[in-house]
Structure formats: C-alpha cells, structure tokens
C-alpha cells in the first residue's frame, strides 16, 4: 500500500496539500489444464481454467463467458500440437496468462477380417482384429474382452455382420466390420456296391455331395481327386472301412 502526496503553492505562500492511497493486492494468477495432454484425432479434451485475484478471463481458443474459472470441452480438428491460452484481467490493467498444449495424434485405426467370408451352415470362421491408438475394443455380436487385438472363432447360423468398435483417449472412435455369409449345410452320400465281396473281388465306391460343398477328400485308401461326386473301384484284401470327408 502506497500513500501519494501532492502539494500545490500559490501567491503569498499559500499551499494546498492532498493525499491519495493506492492499495496493492496480490498478483493475478491463471491456470489452464486438460484431462488429456495427448489424444487421437477425433477425441475430445476437457479444459479447466481457474484464476486468483482477477475480474474476468478470456480466450481466443475457446469461450469463457468472461468467467474467472470454468470447464469446457473441445475437439481438435487437425493433428499436431494445439496450444490453448487463457488470459485473465485484474484491476489496474494487470493480466495473467496460462497455456496448455494438446498433442493430437493419428485417429483410431481399426481392422477386422475373417478367414472365411462364406461358410456352410454348421461351419465356423476365425475373426481377427487389430487396432492402433485405442484403449479398448468391443464387438456387436461377439466378445472381445476389451482387447485391442485378438482372434475369435464364431459359428453363425445365419448371414452376419461382425462390427468392431475401438475407443481411444478423449472418446475417439474407430469402427470396422466384416460380413460372413452362411449357405446350406454340407450333405454327402457314400456307398459301396457290392458291400460284400469275395477275396480278390471288386467293389465300386460311389459318392456325391451337395449344399455348400466345395470338395471331397478321401482317406488315402481310395482317390477322389477332390471331386464332389464320383466313383472308385477298390479291391480290399481284408474287411475295410472307407471314409469320405466333404
């Protein structure tokens, strides 16, 4: 606190004395912080500002409403370092500034694939997913356990779209999906004619398959060449069971 004195002189040694007191308070302070210092593009930060010994605060980067303290949410639109500044005014033209820099990285990236995009009813497919800049991932009709990458076997009974949603800091989101079509079940018939033969006799194996069959495999005791229908002559020397897998 300072006392200022003014003395004025006039003719005949006349004087007048006047004083004024200027009170000096603490210096103004301003603080600006964020809940995240780094977020993926698309994320949102919450800025909180506060001040002491001030009358109002303003910013060219966000709206303060003149309040000396408050909270606001912002979503940066470009990658890189984004500085946010708040300026708070105090009596006598004194000011206080605070700056907080938010680093905006690449957006959340998500990929989900299936080893088969078409399966026969009763079949299954392996879903594989991965992500970057994400903290957790979830599936719409499958379980990820929150993992940001992984593999899961699924057995849909009808055509299905598997959607993966991954979330990063600031609520940034990445989404991807894969479609798995489901066709008719695999059906196959397999017979031997005759099914009883004398030693050195011949039997003819016949097979056919339909539905979503793409190929049929033999058990190495006869040859299918992958064909889904055909015949093969066999001459077993002992009672033999033949297996067909389609």
């Amino acid at each position: 606190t300072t006392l200022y004195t003014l003395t004025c002189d006039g003719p005949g040694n006349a004087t007048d004395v006047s004083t004024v007191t200027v009170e000096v308070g603490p210096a103004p302070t301003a603080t600006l912080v964020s809940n995240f210092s780094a977020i993926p593009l698309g994320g949102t930060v919450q800025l909180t500002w506060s001040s002491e010994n001030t009358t109002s605060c303003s910013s060219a980067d966000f709206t303060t409403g003149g309040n000396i303290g408050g909270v606001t949410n912002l979503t940066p639109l470009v990658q890189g370092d984004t500085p946010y500044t708040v300026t708070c005014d105090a009596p006598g033209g004194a000011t206080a500034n605070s700056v907080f820099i938010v680093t905006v990285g690449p957006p959340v990236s998500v990929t989900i694939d299936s080893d088969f995009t078409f399966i026969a009813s009763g079949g299954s497919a392996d879903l594989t997913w991965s992500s970057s800049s994400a903290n957790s991932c979830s599936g719409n009709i499958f379980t990820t356990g929150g993992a940001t990458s992984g593999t899961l076997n699924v057995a849909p009974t009808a055509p299905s779209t598997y959607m993966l949603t991954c979330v990063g800091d600031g609520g940034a989101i990445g989404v991807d999906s894969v479609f798995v079509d489901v066709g008719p079940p695999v059906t196959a018939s397999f017979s031997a004619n005759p099914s009883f033969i004398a030693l050195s006799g011949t039997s003819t194996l016949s097979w056919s398959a339909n539905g979503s069959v793409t190929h049929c495999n033999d058990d190495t005791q006869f040859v299918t060449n992958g064909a889904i229908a055909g015949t093969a002559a066999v001459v077993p020397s002992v009672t033999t069971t033949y297996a067909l897998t389609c």
Side-chain angles (χ1 to χ4, degrees), residues 36-182:
F36 293 108
S37 60
I39 59 170
L41 185 65
T44 297
V45 294
Q46 184 178 82
L47 298 180
T48 301
W49 75 95
S50 60
S51 64
E52 294 182 356
N53 309 311
T54 61
T55 56
S56 66
C57 294
S58 62
S59 175
D61 305 314
F62 57 94
T63 301
T64 67
N67 296 318
I68 61 173
V71 177
T72 188
N73 294 319
L74 296 173
T75 303
L77 301 179
V78 295
Q79 290 182 221
D81 290 340
T82 302
Y84 295 96
T85 303
V86 66
T87 300
C88 298
D89 298 324
T95 61
N97 299 319
S98 183
V99 179
F100 193 94
I101 297 176
V102 176
T103 300
V104 182
V108 173
S109 175
V110 178
T111 300
I112 183 171
D113 290 307
S114 174
D115 58 346
F116 294 106
T117 56
F118 178 85
I119 63 172
S121 180
S124 65
D126 283 334
L127 302 180
T128 301
W129 70 93
S130 61
S131 64
S132 62
S133 303
N135 298 324
S136 65
C137 295
S138 61
N140 61 335
I141 54 174
F142 66 103
T143 301
T144 66
T148 56
S149 63
T151 300
L152 182 71
N153 184 261
V154 295
T157 57
S160 302
T161 297
Y162 294 90
M163 182 174 294
L164 180 73
T165 301
C166 297
V167 182
D169 286 339
I173 292 177
V175 178
D176 193 21
S177 64
V178 64
F179 178 74
V180 178
D181 198 8
V182 179

Side-chain angles (χ1 to χ4, degrees), residues 189-193 203-207:
S189 63
F190 190 33
S191 64
N193 185 29
S203 178
T204 299
L205 305 180
S206 300
W207 71 92

Side-chain angles (χ1 to χ4, degrees), residues 187-193 203-210 213-219 221-234 242-246:
T187 59
S189 63
F190 190 33
S191 64
N193 185 29
S203 178
T204 299
L205 305 180
S206 300
W207 71 92
S208 64
N210 53 34
V213 177
T214 56
H215 60 276
C216 292
N217 295 325
D218 54 74
D219 63 357
Q221 299 182 101
F222 70 106
V223 178
T224 66
N225 291 319
I228 63 175
T231 61
V234 293
Y242 298 90
L244 177 75
T245 304
C246 296

